[in-house]
Amino acid sequence: MATFSKSYPAEQLPEAQAGKDYRFALTSLTSLFFMWGFITCLNDILIPHLKGVFDLSYSQAMLVQFCFFGAYFVVSLPSGALVKRLGYQKGIVLGLVIAALGCLCFYPAASLHSYAIFLLALFILASGITLLQVSANPYVSILGEVKTASSRLTMTQAFNSLGTTVAPFFGAYLILEQAAEAVSATASAQQVQMPYLLLAALLLLLAAIFAALKLPDMSAQSIQNQTSKTGGENHELKSAWHYRHLVLGAVGIFVYVGAEVAIGSFLVNFFTDPNIGAMEESAAAKYIAYYWGGAMVGRFIGAAAMQKIAAGKALCFNAAVAMALVLVAMFTSGQLAMSAILLVGLCNSIMFPTIFSLALNGLGKFTSQGSGILCLAIVGGAIIPLLQGVLADNIGIQASFCLPILCYGFIAYYGLSGSKVSIREKGKA
């Protein structure tokens, strides 16, 4: 899964960070990227589990993603202000503690057999992860030389993808397989208690470790001030909203995150469909690893290929292939439909960082504001899956994949044309 947080372009990073050895700090930070990838992917296991436990419709089950990704929209800007006040390291520690609190809330949610409390727990958990991302991603960017900032982020994002690849096996065994043996709905709901208690303990342990570590003390405020001085273009403009390619890029982030999350959320139900895979939920859940694992592999392939291929063209190609694969999944059955939908993960790999970088191109002093706008657009992960849930309830799960096709269609347009740097007329902004 993509790493969702504010970051600063490499050319705007403080030169004072060059020449220092930050390998220990970077090694420590990779654990965070792994953890939030792992936790986010567990939602794909929770959705079919809670759907069965509470006898939910598809649209009701998709409230899991609505509450989780809705936290990005609600908490992102306050998190940025908090990190600016506390600094990156304290922001990371606080984010870990809040995420652990969200995990602990799964215990009373299961004991009380309350879907509403589950959703509240997910919102708290996601709020902590949002704070983690707003703290950790810029921190990784500034820990080292400017010319290697991109490679550092690629490395840490690979660990994020590793987390999303491992999580389905963990969830399938500790949640779905155990729930299948439960004798009642209440007992089935309680199968999430132990896994999330373990996650809470691990998050608190990480919080204690990061509180004790001697990490470089970087001031978020001083970095913000320094980066804001580097962008001297377009002094007559007063807002990043004047840049058409940024606005379209925000829409691109919205539909990309929405499509990626929606497909991942429906995989288990799609594979258990009698016309597709006719699998048990616990067996189907393990296939989610191939979807997210494809994104991890594609990220390394894309990093090499895009040194010679224009970013916009690569984005358009991947989106077009994703559309074709989803169409195959919609109109075929069995192994072919399963393979097609899983291969979409490979196409997803480069989309988030490519859209993000194209949208920020040429913003100069408005880069930070543009990053914030793109970060808010991640709320697509809350809206698109819910809309697909409504479609699945009304026209069937296979036909509901028409929505991700529309999302990838816009991404193809953005790569081909919409990403070209342009400034809107002031009167139309």
Side-chain angles (χ1 to χ4, degrees):
M1 178 165 293
T3 302
F4 307 140
S5 60
K6 295 183 181 181
S7 60
Y8 301 103
E11 65 269 15
Q12 293 185 356
L13 298 178
E15 296 181 3
Q17 310 312 326
K20 297 183 180 180
D21 188 354
Y22 293 125
R23 284 177 293 183
F24 174 73
L26 288 170
T27 301
S28 303
L29 287 166
T30 56
S31 64
L32 301 179
F33 284 75
F34 176 88
M35 281 302 299
W36 74 59
F38 186 96
I39 290 171
T40 302
C41 191
L42 276 184
N43 290 349
D44 297 340
I45 305 297
L46 277 179
I47 288 169
H49 175 65
L50 296 179
K51 183 178 184 296
V53 168
F54 293 100
D55 193 23
L56 305 172
S57 65
Y58 284 114
S59 53
Q60 289 172 326
M62 288 304 142
L63 288 174
V64 167
Q65 301 291 27
F66 182 83
C67 289
F68 192 89
F69 283 94
Y72 283 94
F73 186 78
V74 175
V75 180
S76 219
L77 292 181
S79 293
L82 192 61
V83 170
K84 188 177 292 187
R85 178 184 295 270
L86 296 179
Y88 293 114
Q89 185 170 359
K90 290 180 180 178
I92 288 170
V93 173
L94 183 58
L96 287 166
V97 171
I98 294 173
L101 178 62
C103 289
L104 290 173
C105 288
F106 275 72
Y107 198 93
S111 296
L112 298 173
H113 197 66
S114 171
Y115 188 48
I117 299 179
F118 270 114
L119 295 178
L120 175 62
L122 283 161
F123 183 86
I124 296 171
L125 173 57
S127 297
I129 291 176
T130 302
L131 179 54
L132 270 181
Q133 296 202 32
V134 171
S135 303
N137 223 27
Y139 199 22
V140 170
S141 297
I142 63 176
L143 287 176
E145 297 182 9
V146 169
K147 63 182 180 181
T148 59
S150 179
S151 64
R152 289 195 300 276
L153 285 170
T154 299
M155 181 270 292
T156 52
Q157 288 180 7
F159 277 86
N160 178 268
S161 297
L162 178 61
T164 62
T165 304
V166 172
F169 295 101
F170 175 88
Y173 176 72
L174 289 182
I175 297 177
L176 295 182
E177 286 188 11
Q178 303 302 317
E181 300 174 1
V183 296
S184 67
T186 299
S188 182
Q190 291 173 350
Q191 298 308 314
V192 303
Q193 289 177 323
M194 185 55 66
Y196 277 88
L197 283 178
L198 290 174
L199 285 174
L202 185 56
L203 289 167
L204 290 174
L205 177 61
L206 282 173
I209 291 172
F210 272 89
L213 286 177
K214 299 294 184 181
L215 295 178
D217 185 14
M218 308 287 189
S219 168
Q221 180 62 59
S222 64
I223 290 168
Q224 176 66 31
N225 291 341
Q226 188 160 351
T227 58
S228 66
K229 294 175 184 177
T230 63
E233 304 90 340
N234 301 307
H235 290 289
E236 72 280 4
L237 298 181
K238 296 182 179 180
S239 171
W241 289 104
H242 288 283
Y243 292 85
R244 177 177 178 271
H245 70 288
L246 169 69
V247 176
L248 293 177
V251 177
I253 292 291
F254 181 94
V255 297
Y256 163 71
V257 176
E260 180 192 49
V261 172
I263 291 173
S265 300
F266 276 96
L267 282 179
V268 171
N269 293 113
F270 187 63
F271 290 164
T272 57
D273 189 293
N275 296 321
I276 305 299
M279 294 181 171
E280 295 292 330
E281 284 187 349
S282 57
K286 296 174 183 177
Y287 279 83
I288 297 174
Y290 293 103
Y291 177 70
W292 296 111
M296 178 176 63
V297 172
R299 185 161 288 157
F300 290 111
I301 296 174
M306 289 178 67
Q307 293 180 6
K308 298 182 179 181
I309 302 173
K313 291 181 180 179
L315 181 63
C316 180
F317 175 80
N318 275 37
V321 173
M323 291 174 68
L325 289 170
V326 179
L327 278 170
V328 171
M330 284 181 64
F331 293 103
T332 62
S333 59
Q335 189 64 47
L336 180 58
M338 291 173 58
S339 298
I341 202 67
L342 289 174
L343 283 172
V344 175
L346 188 63
C347 299
N348 285 339
S349 57
I350 68 161
M351 290 188 187
F352 185 89
T354 304
I355 296 171
F356 208 92
S357 60
L358 288 172
L360 294 180
N361 187 26
L363 263 62
K365 63 183 179 181
F366 298 116
T367 297
S368 181
Q369 183 189 8
S371 298
I373 292 170
L374 295 175
C375 194
L376 291 177
I378 293 164
V379 74
I383 305 298
I384 301 296
L386 185 61
L387 293 178
Q388 187 170 346
V390 174
L391 287 175
D393 286 330
N394 288 278
I395 63 176
I397 186 171
Q398 198 165 9
S400 72
F401 282 98
C402 63
L403 184 57
I405 289 178
L406 294 176
C407 294
Y408 288 122
F410 181 86
I411 293 169
Y413 155 74
Y414 185 73
L416 191 65
S417 175
S419 58
K420 295 177 181 178
V421 177
S422 61
I423 302 173
R424 300 188 299 169
E425 295 179 19
K426 282 188 175 183
K428 296 180 181 179

